[in-house]
Amino acid sequence: DVKVTQSSRYLVKRTGEKVFLECVQDMDHENMFWYRQDPGLGLRLIYFSYDVKMKEKGDIPEGYSVSREKKERFSLILESASTNQTSMYLCASSMTGGSFYNEQFFGPGTRLTVL
Amino acid sequence: AQRVTQPEKLLSVFKGAPVELKCNYSYSGSPELFWYVQYSRQRLQLLLRHISRESIKGFTADLNKGETSFHLKKPFAQEEDSAMYYCALGNSGYALNFGKGTSLLVTP
């Protein structure tokens, strides 16, 4: 069974703190993604990675960075959290090629509140 | 530029009524289109993809390249269909471009 896990379901941080969101997949997928999900705005891509140590900016990378040191783990970093980064963060993974090309498998999400 | 448009934020139908969730896209190449669904308190999951041409939970979606649409349809809505639905567009790359979503509410 496909599994994408995220380190926290709920997180509360203060403005200016450095925040780490962790995502792990056990499907040996090449590609991993970070989205934020906001009501009325849908899912917006922050960053994605198609291989270890590789990363690409998505639509809204400002204020975020990522790290992918191992194939199964993709971390999202908020260098200095701000209140407008309060959101639901979704991690996803996908494989390249094969019959499931482009299908993304999602984690349960981390609801981050920045005070 | 790639774009996915879901014109309805909220769609409310009665149980047993037909339902159609609209999705229009703009893409110059050969698109791959998906519908994802998120039930209350569950993770986002794939409902169907256009290349598989299958019916999942009674839902179907046909790619209309002339109208650049990929509308999701079900002839008889059920209460358990109430959820958030996202249309998504893939290309030859890795990322998907999601629409803003339509919240479907099926009332008894």
Side-chain angles (χ1 to χ4, degrees):
Chain A
D1 196 18
V2 166
K3 278 285 164 41
V4 180
T5 57
Q6 295 182 228
S7 50
S8 307
R9 287 304 306 272
Y10 300 94
L11 209 52
V12 180
K13 295 292 182 181
R14 298 216 172 266
T15 302
E17 280 192 79
K18 191 169 186 176
V19 182
F20 292 86
L21 303 183
E22 304 285 339
C23 176
V24 176
Q25 51 96 2
D26 65 359
M27 298 162 284
D28 202 35
H29 282 172
E30 294 86 358
N31 310 312
M32 295 187 75
F33 309 84
W34 276 106
Y35 296 91
R36 61 178 285 175
Q37 183 182 31
D38 299 289
L41 297 178
L43 272 74
R44 292 179 292 167
L45 182 66
I46 305 171
Y47 267 98
F48 69 97
S49 167
Y50 53 90
D51 201 351
V52 175
K53 297 191 186 296
M54 306 302 290
K55 61 185 179 184
E56 292 283 343
K57 292 181 179 179
D59 300 317
I60 52 166
E62 296 79 19
Y64 303 94
S65 62
V66 290
S67 172
R68 192 162 179 207
E69 296 297 317
K70 293 184 177 182
K71 190 176 185 180
E72 68 271 17
R73 188 179 297 270
F74 192 36
S75 302
L76 180 69
I77 304 151
L78 287 66
E79 297 291 342
S80 177
S82 63
T83 55
N84 62 12
Q85 293 179 309
T86 292
S87 186
M88 173 69 87
Y89 290 87
L90 300 183
C91 176
S93 71
S94 71
M95 62 185 291
T96 300
S99 61
F100 295 101
Y101 183 56
N102 269 347
E103 177 182 355
Q104 293 187 11
F105 297 86
F106 284 83
T110 295
R111 184 166 294 282
L112 172 67
T113 301
V114 182
L115 302 176
Chain B
Q2 294 181 57
R3 190 171 61 246
V4 177
T5 303
Q6 294 181 251
E8 303 130 333
K9 280 188 177 180
L10 174 65
L11 187 61
S12 183
V13 301
F14 288 109
K15 177 182 173 181
V19 62
E20 182 181 53
L21 288 86
K22 291 184 167 54
C23 173
N24 288 91
Y25 68 92
S26 62
Y27 180 60
S28 56
S30 182
E32 283 197 57
L33 284 146
F34 305 80
W35 278 99
Y36 280 79
V37 61
Q38 188 170 29
Y39 302 102
S40 179
R41 298 189 185 87
Q42 294 187 28
R43 63 183 69 193
L44 196 62
Q45 59 186 286
L46 179 68
L47 180 62
L48 54 80
R49 54 192 301 171
H50 87 272
I51 61 170
S52 60
R53 295 179 177 270
E54 55 189 346
S55 172
I56 304 292
K57 298 184 179 182
F59 284 98
T60 58
D62 292 317
L63 177 60
N64 186 324
K65 291 187 177 180
E67 296 184 358
T68 59
S69 68
F70 188 56
H71 302 329
L72 183 68
K73 299 177 184 179
K74 185 170 183 176
F76 306 104
Q78 303 298 315
E79 289 179 70
E80 56 265 29
D81 296 327
S82 295
M84 194 73 180
Y85 292 81
Y86 294 96
C87 182
L89 169 67
N91 53 28
S92 57
Y94 308 106
L96 292 176
N97 191 345
F98 285 84
K100 293 183 178 181
T102 298
S103 178
L104 175 64
L105 179 63
V106 181
T107 54

